[in-house]
């Protein structure tokens, strides 16, 4: 059994240690009861068995004496390395304790290595699925919108498919249904409203312009995030964050100015989507305490269901059954029976790619996620240009490259310089 040891030299609050566990993706953190160990004669505290650990959150305001590094740099080395480096000492200090305590053995190290390799494979699988599903969704979504230019119904069907899939998963117990209360739904409501606006605005955009153009404009979301947080919420950011916005804004402006098939509705739709998703992240930040009890997959399921309730009446009001019936008949005559499969594919793949992205948030760090999100957008832009033979001028391609590069630089700078309280609202935690 792995032994944890404690020394009295460093004082940390429970919040700091809990944040450390989350930062390093350590699934289990010691609770208050497990930390009530006695100091032994050699200066080390009695080892804490892994069986005594739990994920119970730390109590506010209580303090914990945690083992420091020899060089005094607490945050620079992962916890598991400190455990391994001091396993022998911990074993010695536990000799006078209970007989069931033990230290890391060679078998434990092999097991740890195997788990690390399995985790890398798991994360790699998430990335491949995330990018692939996103590309497939965007292609089928654009095909549907080209034949059936009714983005409000298309958006509604996407949310309906996801809601149906998750309700069936809960009913058949393929996925454990979350325990929800009124407070959770209350905190989710503004997030779902912003998600609804952002989703339908992006779909309206793609019904009017090329997929590549919509995604290039949507890469400017960090700029809106910083500006809204600065001027509406009064948050301050380091200078490097502001500087990283220059290539984002410049690249998007160059792309819009040189777009061959520019459409004002498509451009405005992408911009509205950016603003809506920024507010979605801000609202999510404020309600995060109430939503921590729900995992990524179930959280997105609840978000889809509430968004569906918001969107459905507006879809009927803006477009309505008469337009849908006429448009559906024309699309079926033009495309044939495969049109139904296009609609089904874009609806299902929308839910699947979002579900995978939310699940990946629980497995990887914000830095890795930001890199993956940037590469995802690049893969969508390139694949859509190839599939739909979108004409692109060299200067247009340069503008797109500058905007995407700016988004990548922003994500790196924000992670390195922003406080945790600011990151949630600005690093694009949610996917779109």
């Amino acid at each position: 059994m792995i032994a944890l040891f404690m020394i009295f030299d460093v004082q940390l609050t429970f919040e700091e240690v809990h944040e450390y566990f989350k930062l390093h993706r350590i699934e289990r953190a010691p609770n208050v009861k497990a930390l009530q160990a006695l100091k032994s004669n050699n200066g080390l505290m009695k080892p804490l068995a892994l069986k005594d650990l739990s994920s119970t959150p730390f109590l506010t305001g209580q303090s914990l004496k945690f083992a420091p590094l020899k060089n005094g740099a607490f945050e620079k080395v992962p916890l598991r390395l400190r455990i391994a480096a001091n396993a022998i000492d911990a074993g010695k200090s536990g000799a006078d304790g209970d007989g069931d305590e033990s230290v890391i053995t060679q078998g434990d190290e092999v097991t740890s290595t195997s788990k690390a390799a399995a985790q890398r494979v798991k994360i790699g699988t998430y990335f491949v699925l995330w990018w692939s599903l996103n590309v497939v969704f965007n292609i089928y979504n654009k095909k549907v919108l080209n034949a059936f230019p009714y983005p409000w119904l298309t958006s509604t069907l996407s949310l309906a498919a996801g809601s149906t899939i998750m309700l069936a998963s809960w009913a058949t117990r393929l996925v454990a249904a979350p325990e929800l209360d009124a407070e959770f739904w209350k905190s989710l409501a503004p997030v779902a409203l912003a998600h609804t606006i952002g989703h339908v605005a992006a779909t309206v955009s793609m019904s009017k312009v090329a997929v590549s153009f919509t995604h290039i404009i949507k890469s400017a979301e960090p700029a809106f995030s910083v500006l809204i947080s600065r001027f509406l919420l009064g948050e301050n950011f380091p200078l490097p964050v502001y500087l990283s916005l220059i290539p984002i804004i410049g690249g998007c402006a160059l792309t819009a100015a040189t777009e061959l098939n520019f459409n004002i509705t498509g451009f405005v739709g992408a911009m509205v989507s950016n603003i809506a998703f920024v507010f979605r992240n801000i609202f999510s930040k404020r309600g995060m305490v109430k939503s921590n009890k729900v995992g990524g997959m179930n959280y997105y399921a609840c978000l889809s269901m509430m968004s569906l309730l918001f969107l459905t009446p507006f879809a009927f009001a803006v477009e309505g059954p008469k337009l849908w019936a006429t448009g559906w008949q024309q699309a079926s005559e033009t495309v044939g029976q495969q049109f139904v499969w296009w609609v089904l594919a874009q609806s299902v793949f929308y839910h699947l790619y979002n579900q995978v992205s939310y699940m990946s948030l629980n497995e990887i760090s914000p830095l890795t996620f930001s890199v993956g999100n940037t590469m995802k957008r690049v893969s969508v832009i390139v694949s859509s240009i190839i599939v739909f033979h979108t004409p692109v001028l060299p200067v247009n391609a340069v503008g797109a490259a500058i905007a995407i590069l700016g988004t990548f630089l922003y994500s790196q700078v924000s992670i390195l310089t922003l406080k945790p309280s600011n990151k949630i609202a600005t690093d694009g935690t949610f996917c779109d």
Side-chain angles (χ1 to χ4, degrees), residues 75-340:
E75 290 284 59
K76 291 185 179 180
V77 179
L79 176 64
R80 57 182 176 273
L81 297 183
R82 296 205 303 281
I83 296 173
N86 294 276
I88 296 178
D89 290 337
K92 291 178 180 178
S93 67
D96 298 329
D98 298 334
D100 63 348
E101 306 293 352
S102 60
V103 298
I104 295 176
T105 64
Q106 185 175 1
D108 293 324
E109 293 177 356
V110 173
T111 302
S112 178
T113 302
S114 300
K115 289 183 177 180
Q119 181 69 5
R120 286 194 293 270
V121 173
K122 184 178 181 180
I123 293 173
T125 303
Y126 274 139
F127 271 111
V128 172
L129 287 174
W130 180 17
W131 296 341
S132 301
L133 293 172
N134 194 279
V135 168
V136 173
F137 158 71
N138 278 277
I139 290 174
Y140 276 109
N141 187 53
K142 183 60 177 176
K143 284 186 174 182
V144 170
L145 291 172
N146 285 342
F148 184 75
Y150 297 97
W152 288 80
L153 177 60
T154 304
S155 301
T156 304
L157 293 176
S158 300
L159 296 174
S163 300
T164 303
I165 291 172
M166 289 308 300
L167 287 174
S169 299
W170 291 341
T172 58
R173 297 186 179 181
L174 292 175
V175 177
E179 297 182 2
L180 307 173
D181 53 26
E183 283 299 316
F184 170 80
W185 292 108
K186 182 179 179 181
S187 66
L188 185 66
V191 182
L193 179 59
H195 178 76
T196 304
I197 296 172
H199 174 46
V200 72
T203 309
V204 169
S205 175
M206 282 191 280
S207 70
K208 299 295 183 180
V209 296
V211 174
S212 56
F213 180 74
T214 296
H215 278 271
I216 293 169
I217 299 303
K218 283 177 63 62
S219 68
E221 183 178 330
F224 286 93
S225 181
V226 171
L227 295 176
I228 290 173
S229 298
R230 175 66 185 89
F231 293 106
L232 294 185
L233 303 180
E235 297 181 3
N236 293 315
F237 299 91
L239 180 60
V241 172
Y242 291 110
L243 294 177
S244 68
L245 302 182
I246 296 177
I248 297 176
I249 298 173
C252 289
L254 181 60
T255 301
T258 58
E259 174 65 22
L260 293 176
N261 298 312
F262 181 83
N263 180 281
I264 188 62
T265 302
F267 176 75
V268 172
M271 298 289 276
V272 170
S273 178
N274 282 336
I275 297 173
F277 284 140
V278 168
F279 279 103
R280 178 188 63 179
N281 291 350
I282 293 174
F283 292 144
S284 178
K285 170 186 173 182
R286 293 182 175 181
M288 187 162 290
V289 174
K290 299 181 181 64
S291 63
N292 277 342
K293 67 178 76 172
V294 183
M297 182 188 299
N298 285 332
Y299 183 87
Y300 181 70
C302 296
L303 183 65
S304 296
M305 294 173 191
M306 183 166 280
S307 295
L308 178 62
L309 293 177
F310 286 145
L311 179 57
T312 300
F314 286 96
F316 275 89
V318 174
E319 294 173 347
K322 290 184 178 180
L323 290 178
W324 296 337
T326 302
W328 191 278
Q329 183 178 357
Q330 292 176 350
S332 298
E333 293 174 354
T334 303
V335 178
Q337 294 182 349
Q338 61 180 341
F339 173 70
V340 176

